[in-house]
Amino acid sequence: MTGGYVWPRLPAAGAGQRVGLLGGSFNPPHEGHVHISRLALARFGLDFVWWLVTPGNPLKNRGELGSLEARLEACRLVTRRMPRVRVTSVEADIGISRTRDTLRFLLARRPDLRFVWVMGADNMASFHRWHAWREIAEMVPIGVVDRPGSTLRAASSPFAARYRLARLPETRSRRLADAPPPAWAIVHGPRSDLSSSEIRRSGLWPRDRMENS
């Protein structure tokens, strides 16, 4: 602690371990997030998946965003029986919301870990809209989990076209964390079509949890 500033605490992980980073609003978290995490752990050979609960996604409507505390609480509840999934508010702790800046921080703080950015194929299809997306792609390997209705859009996305030579075959997906970036792989398996937006529209995510703190 220096000058009243508390250095953010990251989830525990040992040197050399493979850590997947699943970022999102988690507004609310649901079994689709759990499904992606389980598949990523198994298919990308990861030791842990960290859920990076963002203070706000610049590409999404913040008017529908639940409080950070409510979303963190919900994430911990959903993952309570998943010891290899860790929930963290590091982005809010260090005052950033851009993935590029988050990765810079994590790589500087834990250069001994092998990070993999994990995302669903629906996010890959729009990845070119992210701030500094090329820089992100060249900072850490990217693991993509197939999602219903997104397979073709992901495969024909600007990201897939630009980094087509950096794609690992699915049979080598467990080696992704060891590959120097840019590197990416997409894995297929049982798919979940759950989405946070559908849950909010259904009314299953209580309005009192959607009030901004």
Side-chain angles (χ1 to χ4, degrees), residues 62-68 71 208-213:
R62 295 198 181 201
E64 296 184 347
L65 188 63
S67 72
L68 179 63
R71 290 181 286 124
D208 60 352
R209 293 193 175 198
M210 291 174 60
E211 295 175 358
N212 290 312
S213 58

Side-chain angles (χ1 to χ4, degrees), residues 118-210:
V118 176
M119 62 183 174
D122 51 336
N123 281 323
M124 177 184 165
S126 60
F127 187 58
H128 60 286
R129 296 176 57 207
W130 292 26
H131 176 73
W133 67 278
R134 295 179 185 86
E135 188 175 346
I136 295 169
E138 296 180 14
M139 293 173 77
V140 294
I142 295 177
V144 183
V145 176
D146 192 24
R147 290 270 288 163
S150 300
T151 306
L152 294 179
R153 290 191 301 117
S156 59
S157 67
F159 167 82
R162 181 176 180 86
Y163 294 104
R164 64 188 183 282
L165 299 180
R167 181 177 179 178
L168 272 65
E170 191 166 354
T171 54
R172 294 181 55 205
S173 62
R174 289 183 61 85
R175 303 293 299 274
L176 181 63
D178 301 319
W184 64 284
I186 183 168
V187 296
H188 303 80
R191 299 185 295 179
S192 171
D193 58 2
L194 282 174
S195 74
S196 295
S197 58
E198 288 295 330
I199 292 174
R200 290 196 303 274
R201 282 194 288 269
S202 73
L204 296 178
W205 179 234
R207 282 297 310 178
D208 60 352
R209 293 193 175 198
M210 291 174 60

Side-chain angles (χ1 to χ4, degrees), residues 71-135:
R71 290 181 286 124
L72 286 168
E73 178 185 357
C75 285
R76 295 185 183 110
L77 182 64
V78 167
T79 61
R80 65 191 182 280
R81 294 190 179 91
M82 300 181 67
R84 294 169 65 194
V85 174
R86 308 288 173 83
V87 178
T88 176
S89 60
V90 62
E91 290 190 327
D93 296 341
I94 59 180
I96 60 175
S97 59
R98 301 286 192 183
T99 299
R100 186 269 310 273
D101 299 330
T102 302
L103 290 175
R104 284 179 174 174
F105 175 83
L106 293 175
L107 289 169
R109 179 79 179 274
R110 291 301 308 266
D112 57 325
L113 297 181
R114 299 176 185 178
F115 290 115
V116 172
W117 186 261
V118 176
M119 62 183 174
D122 51 336
N123 281 323
M124 177 184 165
S126 60
F127 187 58
H128 60 286
R129 296 176 57 207
W130 292 26
H131 176 73
W133 67 278
R134 295 179 185 86
E135 188 175 346

Side-chain angles (χ1 to χ4, degrees), residues 6-25:
V6 179
W7 198 243
R9 177 178 295 179
L10 296 177
Q17 289 191 308
R18 299 169 174 84
V19 176
L21 303 171
L22 181 63
S25 301

